[in-house]
Amino acid sequence: MIDDAVKLVRLARRPVSLSGAGLSAESGLETFRGRDPEALWSKHDPLQMATPEAFEANPQQVTDWYAWRRKVLAQAEPNAAHRALASRESMLHVTQNVDDLLERAGAREVIHLHGTIGRNHCAANCGHEEAIDMADPPPLAPCPTCGKWMRPSVVWFGESLPEAALEGAIEACVECDLLLVIGTSATVNPAASLIPLAKEASARVVLVNTEETEAGRFADVEIIGKAGEVLPKLLG
Ligand code: BV8
């Protein structure tokens, strides 16, 4: 499997990576689903946390959940998979992850489909936004400009993805000749739909995941293994 995938990587002229929470799992960040008994959602009902309605209903609890995730991220380091991806200068990275580990590993071009946990903005979209200190995340606070609450700059369920990010990701997946899909259960849309899109645009698709997923039906090669172990072999 790995040898077949190495050949496809070597042949690729326009490679793109599409990653999910499994890419950051070996950095100690919990995944959202999968068979991980400690999965993030299993501790917190996602609809209690990552939706505008939940923030509206309980801004303190949602803010506390993000403060906890930010502190975990502040202690985390990029793992071998992030570094292997970042070592490929010609590769464009599309990620569902809201962490900055690919950038910290040196990746230059990263498209964040679901926003970033490293910033807050005014929940009323008055325009005020700010970078936050992950190690010392801000408590629930009013927007200094308009007084409404500040919120994390991530995309919640039911919210549209940033247009530029989605357009950039679609263009990348249509143009690419190799889509390297890492650590995603392929259950969240529109991100998951990028995989069949690339396939239909005659890209080769390589999956790296510790389990089989729905995306298997689009794969030229499906490698079952840890991203931190497989990617250095694929891209090293
Ligand atoms: C939208 C940011 C238009 C927040 C996230 C019905 C009702 C309402 C909506 C919908 C519906 N059906 C579909 C939808 C659309 C919905 C959706 O897809 N829902 C799903 C759950 C059914 N999508 C949306 O709402 C999107 N917006 O569509 O706008 C719209 C507008 C109005 C109304 C409707 C639609 C917005 C989606 C973005 C949500 N925000 N994150 C935050 O992070 O706090 S999503 C969240 O899930 C993360 O970003 C995460 O990346 C993403 C996907 O999960 P994965 O990354 O795949 O992670 P997961 O844990 O699932 O899988 C990890 C995988 O890694 C596993 O397979 C595991 O085996 C593997 N793994 C583990 N360890 C390793 C590993 N692999 C390799 N190595 C390892 N070491």
Side-chain angles (χ1 to χ4, degrees):
M1 286 302 188
I2 293 215
D3 294 347
D4 296 346
V6 166
K7 282 191 202 107
L8 292 179
V9 168
R10 285 225 175 97
L11 285 172
R13 292 284 156 271
R14 296 180 308 286
V16 169
S17 75
L18 172 65
S19 53
L23 173 65
S24 300
E26 290 155 88
S27 297
L29 300 194
E30 288 174 334
T31 65
F32 288 76
R33 297 167 199 81
R35 276 201 288 272
D36 170 355
E38 288 300 301
L40 189 57
W41 292 137
S42 63
K43 281 190 187 137
H44 303 280
D45 174 355
L47 296 186
Q48 285 305 311
M49 294 292 179
T51 63
E53 295 76 14
F55 185 74
E56 180 73 27
N58 194 336
Q60 185 62 61
Q61 187 189 46
V62 173
T63 301
D64 291 349
W65 185 57
Y66 279 94
W68 171 70
R69 288 176 61 190
R70 284 163 163 166
K71 284 188 198 137
V72 171
L73 178 52
Q75 303 298 319
E77 290 296 324
N79 63 53
H82 295 106
R83 290 195 297 275
L85 289 172
S87 72
R88 280 296 166 115
E89 312 243 323
S90 65
M91 190 175 269
L92 186 145
H93 305 291
V94 177
T95 188
Q96 300 171 83
N97 298 341
V98 295
D99 66 55
D100 60 348
L101 293 174
L102 269 170
E103 289 89 341
R104 282 164 52 191
R108 289 204 310 234
E109 222 182 324
V110 183
I111 295 180
H112 284 273
L113 291 171
H114 297 159
T116 167
I117 204 167
R119 302 186 71 76
N120 271 354
H121 68 271
C122 171
N125 290 313
C126 82
H128 186 85
E129 57 156 338
E130 53 200 32
I132 60 106
D133 174 2
M134 302 271 206
D136 180 20
L140 179 62
C143 168
T145 307
C146 78
K148 294 281 189 297
W149 292 128
M150 291 295 281
R151 58 161 282 182
S153 296
V154 299
V155 178
W156 280 329
F157 288 104
E159 293 187 323
S160 303
L161 278 58
E163 224 168 279
L166 185 54
E167 275 168 22
I170 289 170
E171 191 185 328
C173 290
V174 167
E175 299 294 317
C176 76
D177 56 0
L178 173 75
L179 185 67
L180 181 55
V181 183
I182 307 118
T184 181
S185 59
T187 50
V188 171
N189 278 300
S193 64
L194 294 170
I195 303 167
L197 183 74
K199 186 73 185 168
E200 278 144 34
S202 35
R204 308 305 287 271
V205 174
V206 172
L207 303 186
V208 177
N209 194 313
T210 44
E211 66 177 3
E212 289 185 356
T213 66
E214 275 297 295
R217 57 200 156 107
F218 305 112
D220 291 275
V221 182
E222 183 168 20
I223 301 170
I224 302 299
K226 289 187 167 188
E229 290 162 13
V230 171
L231 288 192
K233 291 182 189 142
L234 275 194
L235 303 168

